[in-house]
Amino acid sequence: MVRLFESSERVGGRLFSVTPRGMPHLHAELGGMRYLSNQPVVADLVSHLRLPTAPFPVDEPQNLVYLRRRRFTMSQFTDPRVVPYDLPAAIRGRTPDDALLSVIQRFVPNAARMDHRAWDAIKPTASAEGRRLYDIGFWNLLLDAVGQEGWSFLRDGLGYGSVVSSVNSVEAMEASVADFVGSPPPQYLLLRDGYQTMPEELVRRFVGEGGSVHLHHQVRRIDRETVGGEEVLSLAMTVWPEGRPLKVRARHVVLAMPQRSIELLDPDTFLFSSNRFLSDLGSIVTRPASKLFLAYDRPWWEDLGLKAGRSVTDMPLRQTYYWGVEGNQPGADPANRNALLLASYNDLSDVEYWNELLTRPKRLAPVSVTRPPRPMDATAPGTLVDEAQRQLRELHGRRARIPDPTAAYFQNWVQDPYGAAYHFWQVGAKSWEIMPRMRRPIPGANVYICGSAWSTGQGWVYGALTQAELMLQEHFGLPRPAWLSPTVYLGP
């Protein structure tokens, strides 16, 4: 008997799809929103589950860039007369993607064409000036390579601060190549019915095979016990909303939980008595990110010649995606011009900018023993929406006629029990050693951990699936599923 316990009111974790009123064929992806063509474990599962997909456009040449109060188009990134940065010759006239790749390939030649297997082969030995790359912070390395002005250009132009922050250099290089700058360029796809349909369909099939799902069951502590001469694991839980204590015994326990959720377990949980586990638990750093979706009664951006993909700015909005028009979706009413905009996709310090515009009850609410986990509430207050509208007008210029939004949805993934939108490897972390240990962190104890946090696909469903599959093969003796190609590399 396999039972799934979930502390919240829904399955899916950081996959959270909201369907706006009047737009049944559009979905605001407040968590994970896409996958890559070079992530076959995800593509194979999507195909197996028969989930409809569509291309996910990103950088279109006519889309806007607004940096240092100068507005230009994506196609003008290569014109040094337009780009408002005093760049070193090595990256002058390059797009942010090309500039970042050129720096990476100074240290890892042919990096653009390397797959995950190739990266795993070089990680223990790849070096720069006598130091292992995994021992160097990526921010430090970039600063040495292109200076402060070059680093600022990369941070601002890429749209992500996390990509160029102080994390493990060799892991950041692999992630950048796989996610953004590889050759050929990665192709992004989305699930037409919302990314949350993937875990929902998996749960439906799980229940159909005899599994059971228990929502509002929050794990507080895990202990080892001996019952009838057999060692078992005892889980102390709280059942919400009544706050009823519950004790469950199991032979095996899989924690499909990120770093912060594990840290919130009772400190007397036996896992925390292992110094090795505590070290591995802290081998990653958290990275905040938030999203704001705005719905409108018409796609006002089309008046400016903008159709799809994103525009980028150094304002706290950071990235704006022209998400879609209801009437343009397969099966929709062509006369329905309701439209959805991912007004802001931001990370690091920009998250706190938006967080300060939230009303206090909606800000960071720590998980408490005395109250249930806060339900997912994606509503955005007027103060936050007003500021986003102001920045959208500045980004798009005086020609933009932006109506009042009909709906607004906001999610900040720093809140407990998530603790972060995604994770990166710490400087000095040896991922190839830590990942196998985390899949069974205490030798001899039947506790297992899987998820994207300790993977080479951090921040992606891909990372969670590879670690889950490796854990099931290594520790439960299960064969690779028929839907997953036997040649797909899952990692160390």
Side-chain angles (χ1 to χ4, degrees):
M1 176 66 175
V2 179
R3 290 186 284 180
L4 188 156
F5 295 97
E6 164 61 47
S7 67
S8 74
E9 76 283 1
R10 52 179 282 277
V11 297
R14 284 167 290 164
L15 295 181
F16 183 27
S17 308
V18 175
T19 304
R21 181 179 299 178
M23 300 182 227
H25 297 85
L26 288 173
H27 311 281
E29 299 287 15
L30 290 159
M33 62 183 181
R34 59 193 176 186
Y35 67 95
L36 290 162
S37 56
N38 59 13
Q39 296 173 341
V41 65
V42 183
D44 288 355
L45 179 59
V46 167
S47 177
H48 174 68
L49 299 178
R50 299 182 180 178
L51 302 175
T53 66
F56 186 103
V58 180
D59 290 336
E60 300 295 311
Q62 73 276 12
N63 286 2
L64 298 177
V65 181
Y66 184 65
L67 303 176
R68 296 182 172 178
R69 301 180 65 85
R70 182 172 295 180
R71 187 179 300 104
F72 52 100
T73 66
M74 290 278 182
S75 63
Q76 293 176 295
F77 256 133
T78 55
D79 186 347
R81 298 168 300 176
V82 172
V83 176
Y85 294 80
D86 183 15
L87 297 175
I91 61 171
R92 191 180 305 130
R94 295 177 182 264
T95 67
D97 283 359
D98 288 344
L100 180 61
L101 180 61
S102 71
V103 175
I104 291 172
Q105 295 201 132
R106 290 188 207 177
F107 304 97
V108 183
N110 201 38
R113 299 188 178 278
M114 290 171 57
D115 59 15
H116 288 297
R117 189 192 299 271
W119 280 101
D120 284 337
I122 70 158
K123 285 178 184 177
T125 58
S127 302
E129 297 181 356
R131 296 177 62 195
R132 301 298 189 201
L133 286 177
Y134 64 78
D135 270 333
I136 304 173
F138 200 37
W139 189 344
N140 305 82
L141 184 144
L142 291 171
L143 204 61
D144 288 344
V146 297
Q148 179 62 39
E149 191 75 344
W151 180 87
S152 296
F153 169 72
L154 293 173
R155 179 199 177 276
D156 298 345
L158 290 167
Y160 298 92
S162 297
V163 173
V164 295
S165 61
S166 283
V167 294
N168 186 310
S169 280
V170 74
E171 302 289 348
M173 290 177 178
E174 178 188 20
S176 297
V177 169
D179 301 352
F180 305 113
V181 302
S183 181
Q187 301 299 307
Y188 301 90
L189 298 105
L190 58 77
L191 298 191
R192 285 198 180 276
D193 297 327
Y195 216 154
Q196 193 173 321
T197 58
M198 175 186 281
E200 289 173 344
E201 177 62 15
L202 288 171
V203 164
R204 187 187 70 80
R205 297 188 183 204
F206 168 70
V207 172
E209 293 292 329
S212 63
V213 177
H214 307 268
L215 302 179
H216 304 287
H217 283 61
Q218 187 171 12
V219 177
R220 295 294 186 188
R221 175 172 167 160
I222 307 173
D223 294 297
R224 302 168 86 171
E225 293 183 358
T226 300
V227 177
E230 179 185 13
E231 182 177 284
V232 297
L233 297 161
S234 173
L235 286 76
M237 296 188 180
T238 302
V239 182
W240 299 106
E242 61 269 27
R244 173 172 55 89
L246 176 68
K247 184 175 183 178
V248 174
R249 291 190 176 98
R251 292 185 175 88
H252 300 269
V253 172
V254 178
L255 301 178
M257 296 159 61
Q259 182 189 50
R260 178 60 178 161
S261 296
I262 295 172
E263 291 173 344
L264 288 169
L265 293 172
D266 188 295
D268 288 331
T269 292
F270 78 94
L271 291 168
F272 300 136
S273 64
S274 166
N275 289 332
R276 169 64 77 182
F277 172 70
L278 292 175
S279 175
D280 289 347
L281 183 69
S283 64
I284 54 176
V285 292
T286 58
R287 286 294 179 258
S290 68
K291 288 181 176 178
L292 171 67
F293 276 87
L294 298 178
Y296 298 93
D297 59 10
R298 64 181 181 85
W300 54 263
W301 49 89
E302 291 189 353
D303 299 341
L304 306 174
L306 305 171
K307 299 291 186 180
R310 67 171 185 163
S311 290
V312 173
T313 178
D314 53 2
M315 293 188 297
L317 284 180
R318 297 296 277 132
Q319 300 179 66
T320 294
Y321 279 85
Y322 310 101
W323 200 258
V325 181
E326 169 64 20
N328 295 345
Q329 309 309 307
D333 176 5
N336 187 333
R337 300 302 291 164
N338 289 332
L340 190 61
L341 181 78
L342 174 48
S344 178
Y345 179 24
N346 60 87
D347 65 356
L348 296 189
S349 60
D350 296 298
V351 175
E352 188 59 24
Y353 179 89
W354 298 107
N355 193 48
E356 288 299 330
L357 297 174
L358 296 174
T359 52
R360 289 289 156 174
K362 291 182 178 291
R363 297 196 71 231
L364 304 187
V367 169
S368 169
V369 175
T370 58
R371 68 169 180 268
R374 184 167 64 89
M376 300 297 285
D377 178 12
T379 57
T383 51
L384 190 149
V385 173
D386 290 345
E387 174 59 15
Q389 287 278 92
R390 185 194 69 77
Q391 291 188 30
L392 285 170
R393 286 190 287 270
E394 185 173 349
L395 167 62
H396 291 88
R398 295 180 179 178
R399 291 177 51 222
R401 297 293 180 262
I402 305 177
D404 291 336
T406 58
Y409 310 96
F410 178 80
Q411 179 64 31
N412 175 5
W413 290 103
V414 175
Q415 67 187 26
D416 284 343
Y418 306 100
Y422 38 82
H423 304 79
F424 278 90
W425 289 102
Q426 288 265 26
V427 176
K430 300 178 180 180
S431 66
W432 58 94
E433 296 177 357
I434 296 169
M435 285 189 290
R437 286 201 299 263
M438 286 300 284
R439 292 196 288 269
R440 191 177 188 179
I442 307 295
N446 294 333
V447 176
Y448 316 91
I449 295 174
C450 62
S452 65
W454 293 274
S455 76
T456 52
Q458 292 166 317
W460 295 93
V461 169
Y462 163 79
L465 291 180
T466 56
Q467 292 307 299
E469 185 56 38
L470 285 167
M471 180 267 297
L472 291 171
Q473 292 182 26
E474 293 168 353
H475 301 299
F476 289 83
L478 296 180
R480 182 174 290 214
W483 54 262
L484 181 59
S485 168
T487 62
V488 169
Y489 177 68
L490 298 176

